[in-house]
Amino acid sequence: MYSFEFDGRLGIEIPELQKDWGKYDKKTQEEILMKWENIRGNIPDRVRELEQEINRKQALLNNENDFKKSCELNREIAELASTINDLWLWFRSHGEVSAKIHL
């Protein structure tokens, strides 16, 4: 009916729903939300980890003289920033689902 699959890029489990949210009974919705809220609560910590990695790579970039290596570091920084953006999207969008259920 549903599962939570680990996303290696994001570093968290994300919900995989096999049907529309409204088709799950109330008990199942609550189970999904409880698990998601536990995962969701770890997103800010995950973002901090990625920000620290960005800072580390930026420090390397500031001292890098090799153009090819500079480009690679820039690409890695951009990918980390994209991952952070996606994590915040997950954090916000699924918080809205949780709020709607509790109304």
Side-chain angles (χ1 to χ4, degrees), residues 49-86:
E49 290 171 8
L50 295 172
E51 287 172 339
Q52 289 173 350
E53 185 66 14
I54 286 173
N55 290 338
R56 190 183 70 73
K57 289 184 182 291
Q58 284 177 327
L60 291 172
L61 182 60
N62 288 338
N63 297 314
E64 185 57 61
N65 294 321
D66 181 88
F67 179 74
K68 188 174 178 180
K69 182 64 178 171
S70 294
C71 290
E72 180 64 23
L73 285 167
N74 270 319
R75 186 195 62 73
E76 291 171 6
I77 290 167
E79 179 59 32
L80 290 166
S82 174
T83 301
I84 288 171
N85 185 58
D86 290 347

PDB file of all heavy atoms in Angstrom, residues 49-86:
ATOM      1  N   GLU A  49      24.370  19.317   7.493  1.00  0.00           N
ATOM      2  CA  GLU A  49      25.493  18.485   7.032  1.00  0.00           C
ATOM      3  C   GLU A  49      25.925  18.896   5.628  1.00  0.00           C
ATOM      4  O   GLU A  49      27.117  19.026   5.346  1.00  0.00           O
ATOM      5  CB  GLU A  49      25.093  17.006   7.005  1.00  0.00           C
ATOM      6  CG  GLU A  49      24.892  16.364   8.347  1.00  0.00           C
ATOM      7  CD  GLU A  49      24.291  14.962   8.226  1.00  0.00           C
ATOM      8  OE1 GLU A  49      24.165  14.439   7.089  1.00  0.00           O
ATOM      9  OE2 GLU A  49      23.929  14.399   9.267  1.00  0.00           O
ATOM     10  N   LEU A  50      24.943  19.081   4.750  1.00  0.00           N
ATOM     11  CA  LEU A  50      25.254  19.457   3.374  1.00  0.00           C
ATOM     12  C   LEU A  50      25.846  20.861   3.297  1.00  0.00           C
ATOM     13  O   LEU A  50      26.749  21.118   2.493  1.00  0.00           O
ATOM     14  CB  LEU A  50      24.001  19.340   2.498  1.00  0.00           C
ATOM     15  CG  LEU A  50      23.458  17.919   2.340  1.00  0.00           C
ATOM     16  CD1 LEU A  50      22.117  17.945   1.621  1.00  0.00           C
ATOM     17  CD2 LEU A  50      24.447  17.021   1.626  1.00  0.00           C
ATOM     18  N   GLU A  51      25.350  21.770   4.131  1.00  0.00           N
ATOM     19  CA  GLU A  51      25.913  23.123   4.162  1.00  0.00           C
ATOM     20  C   GLU A  51      27.365  23.102   4.611  1.00  0.00           C
ATOM     21  O   GLU A  51      28.203  23.849   4.091  1.00  0.00           O
ATOM     22  CB  GLU A  51      25.086  24.027   5.084  1.00  0.00           C
ATOM     23  CG  GLU A  51      23.749  24.412   4.492  1.00  0.00           C
ATOM     24  CD  GLU A  51      22.850  25.148   5.464  1.00  0.00           C
ATOM     25  OE1 GLU A  51      23.049  25.036   6.699  1.00  0.00           O
ATOM     26  OE2 GLU A  51      21.931  25.836   4.977  1.00  0.00           O
ATOM     27  N   GLN A  52      27.684  22.252   5.576  1.00  0.00           N
ATOM     28  CA  GLN A  52      29.077  22.120   6.020  1.00  0.00           C
ATOM     29  C   GLN A  52      29.950  21.589   4.887  1.00  0.00           C
ATOM     30  O   GLN A  52      31.085  22.049   4.698  1.00  0.00           O
ATOM     31  CB  GLN A  52      29.164  21.196   7.245  1.00  0.00           C
ATOM     32  CG  GLN A  52      28.602  21.820   8.494  1.00  0.00           C
ATOM     33  CD  GLN A  52      28.524  20.839   9.656  1.00  0.00           C
ATOM     34  OE1 GLN A  52      28.718  19.642   9.510  1.00  0.00           O
ATOM     35  NE2 GLN A  52      28.222  21.368  10.836  1.00  0.00           N
ATOM     36  N   GLU A  53      29.414  20.662   4.120  1.00  0.00           N
ATOM     37  CA  GLU A  53      30.157  20.125   2.974  1.00  0.00           C
ATOM     38  C   GLU A  53      30.368  21.213   1.923  1.00  0.00           C
ATOM     39  O   GLU A  53      31.439  21.323   1.332  1.00  0.00           O
ATOM     40  CB  GLU A  53      29.410  18.925   2.383  1.00  0.00           C
ATOM     41  CG  GLU A  53      30.138  18.228   1.269  1.00  0.00           C
ATOM     42  CD  GLU A  53      31.421  17.531   1.690  1.00  0.00           C
ATOM     43  OE1 GLU A  53      31.663  17.349   2.904  1.00  0.00           O
ATOM     44  OE2 GLU A  53      32.205  17.180   0.788  1.00  0.00           O
ATOM     45  N   ILE A  54      29.349  22.038   1.685  1.00  0.00           N
ATOM     46  CA  ILE A  54      29.490  23.158   0.754  1.00  0.00           C
ATOM     47  C   ILE A  54      30.584  24.107   1.240  1.00  0.00           C
ATOM     48  O   ILE A  54      31.447  24.526   0.460  1.00  0.00           O
ATOM     49  CB  ILE A  54      28.149  23.918   0.576  1.00  0.00           C
ATOM     50  CG1 ILE A  54      27.191  23.086  -0.272  1.00  0.00           C
ATOM     51  CG2 ILE A  54      28.376  25.297  -0.047  1.00  0.00           C
ATOM     52  CD1 ILE A  54      25.790  23.670  -0.377  1.00  0.00           C
ATOM     53  N   ASN A  55      30.562  24.431   2.517  1.00  0.00           N
ATOM     54  CA  ASN A  55      31.579  25.335   3.074  1.00  0.00           C
ATOM     55  C   ASN A  55      32.981  24.759   2.907  1.00  0.00           C
ATOM     56  O   ASN A  55      33.924  25.491   2.586  1.00  0.00           O
ATOM     57  CB  ASN A  55      31.290  25.625   4.546  1.00  0.00           C
ATOM     58  CG  ASN A  55      30.056  26.489   4.724  1.00  0.00           C
ATOM     59  OD1 ASN A  55      29.644  27.203   3.821  1.00  0.00           O
ATOM     60  ND2 ASN A  55      29.448  26.402   5.891  1.00  0.00           N
ATOM     61  N   ARG A  56      33.111  23.460   3.125  1.00  0.00           N
ATOM     62  CA  ARG A  56      34.408  22.798   2.954  1.00  0.00           C
ATOM     63  C   ARG A  56      34.875  22.896   1.503  1.00  0.00           C
ATOM     64  O   ARG A  56      36.017  23.234   1.223  1.00  0.00           O
ATOM     65  CB  ARG A  56      34.318  21.332   3.401  1.00  0.00           C
ATOM     66  CG  ARG A  56      35.664  20.623   3.480  1.00  0.00           C
ATOM     67  CD  ARG A  56      35.511  19.165   3.845  1.00  0.00           C
ATOM     68  NE  ARG A  56      34.911  18.362   2.797  1.00  0.00           N
ATOM     69  CZ  ARG A  56      35.536  17.994   1.667  1.00  0.00           C
ATOM     70  NH1 ARG A  56      36.764  18.371   1.437  1.00  0.00           N
ATOM     71  NH2 ARG A  56      34.914  17.252   0.769  1.00  0.00           N
ATOM     72  N   LYS A  57      33.963  22.638   0.584  1.00  0.00           N
ATOM     73  CA  LYS A  57      34.313  22.686  -0.836  1.00  0.00           C
ATOM     74  C   LYS A  57      34.603  24.118  -1.286  1.00  0.00           C
ATOM     75  O   LYS A  57      35.473  24.344  -2.117  1.00  0.00           O
ATOM     76  CB  LYS A  57      33.216  22.041  -1.680  1.00  0.00           C
ATOM     77  CG  LYS A  57      33.174  20.529  -1.501  1.00  0.00           C
ATOM     78  CD  LYS A  57      32.151  19.886  -2.402  1.00  0.00           C
ATOM     79  CE  LYS A  57      32.092  18.395  -2.172  1.00  0.00           C
ATOM     80  NZ  LYS A  57      33.255  17.659  -2.607  1.00  0.00           N
ATOM     81  N   GLN A  58      33.887  25.094  -0.731  1.00  0.00           N
ATOM     82  CA  GLN A  58      34.156  26.490  -1.077  1.00  0.00           C
ATOM     83  C   GLN A  58      35.536  26.912  -0.585  1.00  0.00           C
ATOM     84  O   GLN A  58      36.239  27.661  -1.272  1.00  0.00           O
ATOM     85  CB  GLN A  58      33.075  27.402  -0.500  1.00  0.00           C
ATOM     86  CG  GLN A  58      31.787  27.327  -1.280  1.00  0.00           C
ATOM     87  CD  GLN A  58      30.686  28.177  -0.680  1.00  0.00           C
ATOM     88  OE1 GLN A  58      30.598  28.357   0.530  1.00  0.00           O
ATOM     89  NE2 GLN A  58      29.818  28.692  -1.553  1.00  0.00           N
ATOM     90  N   ALA A  59      35.923  26.420   0.581  1.00  0.00           N
ATOM     91  CA  ALA A  59      37.272  26.723   1.089  1.00  0.00           C
ATOM     92  C   ALA A  59      38.324  26.131   0.164  1.00  0.00           C
ATOM     93  O   ALA A  59      39.340  26.774  -0.132  1.00  0.00           O
ATOM     94  CB  ALA A  59      37.436  26.190   2.507  1.00  0.00           C
ATOM     95  N   LEU A  60      38.080  24.920  -0.317  1.00  0.00           N
ATOM     96  CA  LEU A  60      39.002  24.303  -1.274  1.00  0.00           C
ATOM     97  C   LEU A  60      39.050  25.113  -2.570  1.00  0.00           C
ATOM     98  O   LEU A  60      40.116  25.334  -3.147  1.00  0.00           O
ATOM     99  CB  LEU A  60      38.589  22.861  -1.576  1.00  0.00           C
ATOM    100  CG  LEU A  60      38.743  21.838  -0.466  1.00  0.00           C
ATOM    101  CD1 LEU A  60      38.107  20.505  -0.871  1.00  0.00           C
ATOM    102  CD2 LEU A  60      40.213  21.642  -0.121  1.00  0.00           C
ATOM    103  N   LEU A  61      37.881  25.546  -3.013  1.00  0.00           N
ATOM    104  CA  LEU A  61      37.773  26.307  -4.248  1.00  0.00           C
ATOM    105  C   LEU A  61      38.539  27.632  -4.153  1.00  0.00           C
ATOM    106  O   LEU A  61      39.193  28.047  -5.107  1.00  0.00           O
ATOM    107  CB  LEU A  61      36.305  26.574  -4.573  1.00  0.00           C
ATOM    108  CG  LEU A  61      35.985  27.312  -5.861  1.00  0.00           C
ATOM    109  CD1 LEU A  61      36.514  26.548  -7.069  1.00  0.00           C
ATOM    110  CD2 LEU A  61      34.486  27.538  -5.972  1.00  0.00           C
ATOM    111  N   ASN A  62      38.484  28.261  -2.995  1.00  0.00           N
ATOM    112  CA  ASN A  62      39.182  29.545  -2.808  1.00  0.00           C
ATOM    113  C   ASN A  62      40.691  29.411  -2.988  1.00  0.00           C
ATOM    114  O   ASN A  62      41.360  30.382  -3.333  1.00  0.00           O
ATOM    115  CB  ASN A  62      38.885  30.119  -1.420  1.00  0.00           C
ATOM    116  CG  ASN A  62      37.474  30.634  -1.309  1.00  0.00           C
ATOM    117  OD1 ASN A  62      36.825  30.945  -2.307  1.00  0.00           O
ATOM    118  ND2 ASN A  62      36.971  30.725  -0.087  1.00  0.00           N
ATOM    119  N   ASN A  63      41.214  28.229  -2.758  1.00  0.00           N
ATOM    120  CA  ASN A  63      42.665  28.019  -2.859  1.00  0.00           C
ATOM    121  C   ASN A  63      43.057  27.182  -4.075  1.00  0.00           C
ATOM    122  O   ASN A  63      44.227  26.825  -4.205  1.00  0.00           O
ATOM    123  CB  ASN A  63      43.179  27.343  -1.581  1.00  0.00           C
ATOM    124  CG  ASN A  63      42.973  28.220  -0.368  1.00  0.00           C
ATOM    125  OD1 ASN A  63      43.258  29.405  -0.399  1.00  0.00           O
ATOM    126  ND2 ASN A  63      42.450  27.633   0.694  1.00  0.00           N
ATOM    127  N   GLU A  64      42.106  26.897  -4.935  1.00  0.00           N
ATOM    128  CA  GLU A  64      42.377  26.022  -6.085  1.00  0.00           C
ATOM    129  C   GLU A  64      42.843  26.846  -7.281  1.00  0.00           C
ATOM    130  O   GLU A  64      42.181  27.801  -7.689  1.00  0.00           O
ATOM    131  CB  GLU A  64      41.111  25.232  -6.445  1.00  0.00           C
ATOM    132  CG  GLU A  64      41.316  24.215  -7.529  1.00  0.00           C
ATOM    133  CD  GLU A  64      42.400  23.211  -7.190  1.00  0.00           C
ATOM    134  OE1 GLU A  64      42.261  22.496  -6.189  1.00  0.00           O
ATOM    135  OE2 GLU A  64      43.393  23.157  -7.958  1.00  0.00           O
ATOM    136  N   ASN A  65      43.967  26.460  -7.847  1.00  0.00           N
ATOM    137  CA  ASN A  65      44.505  27.148  -9.013  1.00  0.00           C
ATOM    138  C   ASN A  65      44.253  26.398 -10.312  1.00  0.00           C
ATOM    139  O   ASN A  65      44.341  26.977 -11.387  1.00  0.00           O
ATOM    140  CB  ASN A  65      46.015  27.373  -8.845  1.00  0.00           C
ATOM    141  CG  ASN A  65      46.313  28.341  -7.713  1.00  0.00           C
ATOM    142  OD1 ASN A  65      45.596  29.317  -7.531  1.00  0.00           O
ATOM    143  ND2 ASN A  65      47.365  28.066  -6.962  1.00  0.00           N
ATOM    144  N   ASP A  66      43.927  25.129 -10.215  1.00  0.00           N
ATOM    145  CA  ASP A  66      43.685  24.308 -11.397  1.00  0.00           C
ATOM    146  C   ASP A  66      42.249  24.545 -11.880  1.00  0.00           C
ATOM    147  O   ASP A  66      41.289  24.286 -11.158  1.00  0.00           O
ATOM    148  CB  ASP A  66      43.912  22.838 -11.055  1.00  0.00           C
ATOM    149  CG  ASP A  66      43.705  21.944 -12.250  1.00  0.00           C
ATOM    150  OD1 ASP A  66      44.670  21.727 -13.010  1.00  0.00           O
ATOM    151  OD2 ASP A  66      42.564  21.461 -12.417  1.00  0.00           O
ATOM    152  N   PHE A  67      42.129  25.033 -13.126  1.00  0.00           N
ATOM    153  CA  PHE A  67      40.812  25.381 -13.665  1.00  0.00           C
ATOM    154  C   PHE A  67      39.877  24.181 -13.689  1.00  0.00           C
ATOM    155  O   PHE A  67      38.704  24.293 -13.306  1.00  0.00           O
ATOM    156  CB  PHE A  67      40.946  25.986 -15.070  1.00  0.00           C
ATOM    157  CG  PHE A  67      39.633  26.351 -15.676  1.00  0.00           C
ATOM    158  CD1 PHE A  67      38.931  27.469 -15.222  1.00  0.00           C
ATOM    159  CD2 PHE A  67      39.081  25.581 -16.687  1.00  0.00           C
ATOM    160  CE1 PHE A  67      37.704  27.805 -15.774  1.00  0.00           C
ATOM    161  CE2 PHE A  67      37.853  25.907 -17.234  1.00  0.00           C
ATOM    162  CZ  PHE A  67      37.160  27.028 -16.785  1.00  0.00           C
ATOM    163  N   LYS A  68      40.368  23.046 -14.148  1.00  0.00           N
ATOM    164  CA  LYS A  68      39.530  21.846 -14.245  1.00  0.00           C
ATOM    165  C   LYS A  68      39.010  21.432 -12.864  1.00  0.00           C
ATOM    166  O   LYS A  68      37.841  21.109 -12.701  1.00  0.00           O
ATOM    167  CB  LYS A  68      40.321  20.715 -14.892  1.00  0.00           C
ATOM    168  CG  LYS A  68      39.495  19.506 -15.218  1.00  0.00           C
ATOM    169  CD  LYS A  68      40.303  18.477 -15.999  1.00  0.00           C
ATOM    170  CE  LYS A  68      39.452  17.255 -16.271  1.00  0.00           C
ATOM    171  NZ  LYS A  68      40.165  16.238 -17.006  1.00  0.00           N
ATOM    172  N   LYS A  69      39.888  21.472 -11.878  1.00  0.00           N
ATOM    173  CA  LYS A  69      39.489  21.118 -10.509  1.00  0.00           C
ATOM    174  C   LYS A  69      38.494  22.150  -9.966  1.00  0.00           C
ATOM    175  O   LYS A  69      37.529  21.792  -9.277  1.00  0.00           O
ATOM    176  CB  LYS A  69      40.725  21.016  -9.602  1.00  0.00           C
ATOM    177  CG  LYS A  69      40.420  20.624  -8.192  1.00  0.00           C
ATOM    178  CD  LYS A  69      39.819  19.224  -8.103  1.00  0.00           C
ATOM    179  CE  LYS A  69      39.572  18.852  -6.656  1.00  0.00           C
ATOM    180  NZ  LYS A  69      38.826  17.627  -6.482  1.00  0.00           N
ATOM    181  N   SER A  70      38.683  23.424 -10.298  1.00  0.00           N
ATOM    182  CA  SER A  70      37.748  24.480  -9.877  1.00  0.00           C
ATOM    183  C   SER A  70      36.352  24.233 -10.447  1.00  0.00           C
ATOM    184  O   SER A  70      35.348  24.387  -9.743  1.00  0.00           O
ATOM    185  CB  SER A  70      38.235  25.853 -10.330  1.00  0.00           C
ATOM    186  OG  SER A  70      39.418  26.209  -9.673  1.00  0.00           O
ATOM    187  N   CYS A  71      36.308  23.847 -11.705  1.00  0.00           N
ATOM    188  CA  CYS A  71      35.018  23.542 -12.338  1.00  0.00           C
ATOM    189  C   CYS A  71      34.338  22.365 -11.647  1.00  0.00           C
ATOM    190  O   CYS A  71      33.119  22.385 -11.423  1.00  0.00           O
ATOM    191  CB  CYS A  71      35.213  23.256 -13.825  1.00  0.00           C
ATOM    192  SG  CYS A  71      35.667  24.717 -14.784  1.00  0.00           S
ATOM    193  N   GLU A  72      35.120  21.343 -11.321  1.00  0.00           N
ATOM    194  CA  GLU A  72      34.580  20.171 -10.635  1.00  0.00           C
ATOM    195  C   GLU A  72      34.028  20.554  -9.252  1.00  0.00           C
ATOM    196  O   GLU A  72      32.935  20.130  -8.866  1.00  0.00           O
ATOM    197  CB  GLU A  72      35.647  19.086 -10.503  1.00  0.00           C
ATOM    198  CG  GLU A  72      35.193  17.835  -9.804  1.00  0.00           C
ATOM    199  CD  GLU A  72      34.092  17.075 -10.533  1.00  0.00           C
ATOM    200  OE1 GLU A  72      33.942  17.232 -11.750  1.00  0.00           O
ATOM    201  OE2 GLU A  72      33.361  16.330  -9.848  1.00  0.00           O
ATOM    202  N   LEU A  73      34.770  21.350  -8.518  1.00  0.00           N
ATOM    203  CA  LEU A  73      34.292  21.798  -7.202  1.00  0.00           C
ATOM    204  C   LEU A  73      33.013  22.627  -7.334  1.00  0.00           C
ATOM    205  O   LEU A  73      32.076  22.465  -6.546  1.00  0.00           O
ATOM    206  CB  LEU A  73      35.383  22.598  -6.484  1.00  0.00           C
ATOM    207  CG  LEU A  73      36.527  21.775  -5.909  1.00  0.00           C
ATOM    208  CD1 LEU A  73      37.689  22.693  -5.507  1.00  0.00           C
ATOM    209  CD2 LEU A  73      36.070  20.947  -4.721  1.00  0.00           C
ATOM    210  N   ASN A  74      32.955  23.498  -8.323  1.00  0.00           N
ATOM    211  CA  ASN A  74      31.744  24.288  -8.561  1.00  0.00           C
ATOM    212  C   ASN A  74      30.549  23.388  -8.872  1.00  0.00           C
ATOM    213  O   ASN A  74      29.445  23.635  -8.388  1.00  0.00           O
ATOM    214  CB  ASN A  74      31.954  25.281  -9.710  1.00  0.00           C
ATOM    215  CG  ASN A  74      32.481  26.606  -9.232  1.00  0.00           C
ATOM    216  OD1 ASN A  74      32.049  27.116  -8.212  1.00  0.00           O
ATOM    217  ND2 ASN A  74      33.418  27.158  -9.971  1.00  0.00           N
ATOM    218  N   ARG A  75      30.772  22.362  -9.670  1.00  0.00           N
ATOM    219  CA  ARG A  75      29.699  21.426 -10.004  1.00  0.00           C
ATOM    220  C   ARG A  75      29.221  20.706  -8.744  1.00  0.00           C
ATOM    221  O   ARG A  75      28.016  20.559  -8.517  1.00  0.00           O
ATOM    222  CB  ARG A  75      30.167  20.405 -11.044  1.00  0.00           C
ATOM    223  CG  ARG A  75      29.056  19.483 -11.537  1.00  0.00           C
ATOM    224  CD  ARG A  75      29.573  18.261 -12.269  1.00  0.00           C
ATOM    225  NE  ARG A  75      30.397  17.405 -11.438  1.00  0.00           N
ATOM    226  CZ  ARG A  75      29.935  16.603 -10.452  1.00  0.00           C
ATOM    227  NH1 ARG A  75      28.668  16.583 -10.150  1.00  0.00           N
ATOM    228  NH2 ARG A  75      30.763  15.844  -9.770  1.00  0.00           N
ATOM    229  N   GLU A  76      30.152  20.264  -7.910  1.00  0.00           N
ATOM    230  CA  GLU A  76      29.795  19.569  -6.670  1.00  0.00           C
ATOM    231  C   GLU A  76      29.022  20.488  -5.726  1.00  0.00           C
ATOM    232  O   GLU A  76      28.048  20.063  -5.094  1.00  0.00           O
ATOM    233  CB  GLU A  76      31.053  19.037  -5.993  1.00  0.00           C
ATOM    234  CG  GLU A  76      31.715  17.906  -6.762  1.00  0.00           C
ATOM    235  CD  GLU A  76      33.087  17.520  -6.218  1.00  0.00           C
ATOM    236  OE1 GLU A  76      33.496  18.056  -5.161  1.00  0.00           O
ATOM    237  OE2 GLU A  76      33.751  16.683  -6.852  1.00  0.00           O
ATOM    238  N   ILE A  77      29.437  21.735  -5.634  1.00  0.00           N
ATOM    239  CA  ILE A  77      28.747  22.709  -4.788  1.00  0.00           C
ATOM    240  C   ILE A  77      27.322  22.931  -5.303  1.00  0.00           C
ATOM    241  O   ILE A  77      26.366  22.966  -4.521  1.00  0.00           O
ATOM    242  CB  ILE A  77      29.541  24.031  -4.712  1.00  0.00           C
ATOM    243  CG1 ILE A  77      30.825  23.825  -3.908  1.00  0.00           C
ATOM    244  CG2 ILE A  77      28.689  25.156  -4.129  1.00  0.00           C
ATOM    245  CD1 ILE A  77      31.827  24.967  -4.019  1.00  0.00           C
ATOM    246  N   ALA A  78      27.177  23.059  -6.612  1.00  0.00           N
ATOM    247  CA  ALA A  78      25.848  23.260  -7.202  1.00  0.00           C
ATOM    248  C   ALA A  78      24.942  22.058  -6.932  1.00  0.00           C
ATOM    249  O   ALA A  78      23.750  22.230  -6.626  1.00  0.00           O
ATOM    250  CB  ALA A  78      25.970  23.518  -8.699  1.00  0.00           C
ATOM    251  N   GLU A  79      25.487  20.867  -7.018  1.00  0.00           N
ATOM    252  CA  GLU A  79      24.696  19.660  -6.756  1.00  0.00           C
ATOM    253  C   GLU A  79      24.262  19.609  -5.292  1.00  0.00           C
ATOM    254  O   GLU A  79      23.113  19.275  -4.991  1.00  0.00           O
ATOM    255  CB  GLU A  79      25.486  18.408  -7.124  1.00  0.00           C
ATOM    256  CG  GLU A  79      24.744  17.105  -6.863  1.00  0.00           C
ATOM    257  CD  GLU A  79      23.420  16.966  -7.603  1.00  0.00           C
ATOM    258  OE1 GLU A  79      23.283  17.497  -8.718  1.00  0.00           O
ATOM    259  OE2 GLU A  79      22.517  16.320  -7.038  1.00  0.00           O
ATOM    260  N   LEU A  80      25.161  19.951  -4.390  1.00  0.00           N
ATOM    261  CA  LEU A  80      24.800  19.986  -2.967  1.00  0.00           C
ATOM    262  C   LEU A  80      23.719  21.032  -2.705  1.00  0.00           C
ATOM    263  O   LEU A  80      22.769  20.779  -1.954  1.00  0.00           O
ATOM    264  CB  LEU A  80      26.039  20.267  -2.110  1.00  0.00           C
ATOM    265  CG  LEU A  80      27.059  19.128  -2.043  1.00  0.00           C
ATOM    266  CD1 LEU A  80      28.380  19.634  -1.454  1.00  0.00           C
ATOM    267  CD2 LEU A  80      26.519  17.964  -1.234  1.00  0.00           C
ATOM    268  N   ALA A  81      23.836  22.193  -3.330  1.00  0.00           N
ATOM    269  CA  ALA A  81      22.832  23.246  -3.167  1.00  0.00           C
ATOM    270  C   ALA A  81      21.483  22.787  -3.709  1.00  0.00           C
ATOM    271  O   ALA A  81      20.430  23.050  -3.108  1.00  0.00           O
ATOM    272  CB  ALA A  81      23.287  24.526  -3.861  1.00  0.00           C
ATOM    273  N   SER A  82      21.496  22.070  -4.826  1.00  0.00           N
ATOM    274  CA  SER A  82      20.265  21.531  -5.396  1.00  0.00           C
ATOM    275  C   SER A  82      19.620  20.516  -4.450  1.00  0.00           C
ATOM    276  O   SER A  82      18.397  20.500  -4.278  1.00  0.00           O
ATOM    277  CB  SER A  82      20.567  20.873  -6.746  1.00  0.00           C
ATOM    278  OG  SER A  82      19.432  20.220  -7.252  1.00  0.00           O
ATOM    279  N   THR A  83      20.444  19.698  -3.826  1.00  0.00           N
ATOM    280  CA  THR A  83      19.944  18.716  -2.867  1.00  0.00           C
ATOM    281  C   THR A  83      19.300  19.413  -1.676  1.00  0.00           C
ATOM    282  O   THR A  83      18.219  19.018  -1.220  1.00  0.00           O
ATOM    283  CB  THR A  83      21.081  17.791  -2.398  1.00  0.00           C
ATOM    284  OG1 THR A  83      21.638  17.136  -3.545  1.00  0.00           O
ATOM    285  CG2 THR A  83      20.582  16.751  -1.413  1.00  0.00           C
ATOM    286  N   ILE A  84      19.940  20.468  -1.179  1.00  0.00           N
ATOM    287  CA  ILE A  84      19.369  21.240  -0.069  1.00  0.00           C
ATOM    288  C   ILE A  84      18.010  21.810  -0.472  1.00  0.00           C
ATOM    289  O   ILE A  84      17.041  21.738   0.292  1.00  0.00           O
ATOM    290  CB  ILE A  84      20.331  22.359   0.378  1.00  0.00           C
ATOM    291  CG1 ILE A  84      21.535  21.748   1.103  1.00  0.00           C
ATOM    292  CG2 ILE A  84      19.609  23.381   1.260  1.00  0.00           C
ATOM    293  CD1 ILE A  84      22.641  22.737   1.407  1.00  0.00           C
ATOM    294  N   ASN A  85      17.927  22.361  -1.657  1.00  0.00           N
ATOM    295  CA  ASN A  85      16.665  22.913  -2.143  1.00  0.00           C
ATOM    296  C   ASN A  85      15.581  21.838  -2.164  1.00  0.00           C
ATOM    297  O   ASN A  85      14.459  22.069  -1.700  1.00  0.00           O
ATOM    298  CB  ASN A  85      16.859  23.520  -3.536  1.00  0.00           C
ATOM    299  CG  ASN A  85      15.607  24.201  -4.022  1.00  0.00           C
ATOM    300  OD1 ASN A  85      15.093  25.110  -3.390  1.00  0.00           O
ATOM    301  ND2 ASN A  85      15.102  23.748  -5.162  1.00  0.00           N
ATOM    302  N   ASP A  86      15.910  20.668  -2.677  1.00  0.00           N
ATOM    303  CA  ASP A  86      14.938  19.580  -2.731  1.00  0.00           C
ATOM    304  C   ASP A  86      14.515  19.131  -1.331  1.00  0.00           C
ATOM    305  O   ASP A  86      13.338  18.832  -1.096  1.00  0.00           O
ATOM    306  CB  ASP A  86      15.491  18.391  -3.517  1.00  0.00           C
ATOM    307  CG  ASP A  86      15.612  18.680  -5.004  1.00  0.00           C
ATOM    308  OD1 ASP A  86      15.051  19.706  -5.473  1.00  0.00           O
ATOM    309  OD2 ASP A  86      16.276  17.896  -5.703  1.00  0.00           O
TER     310      ASP A  86
END
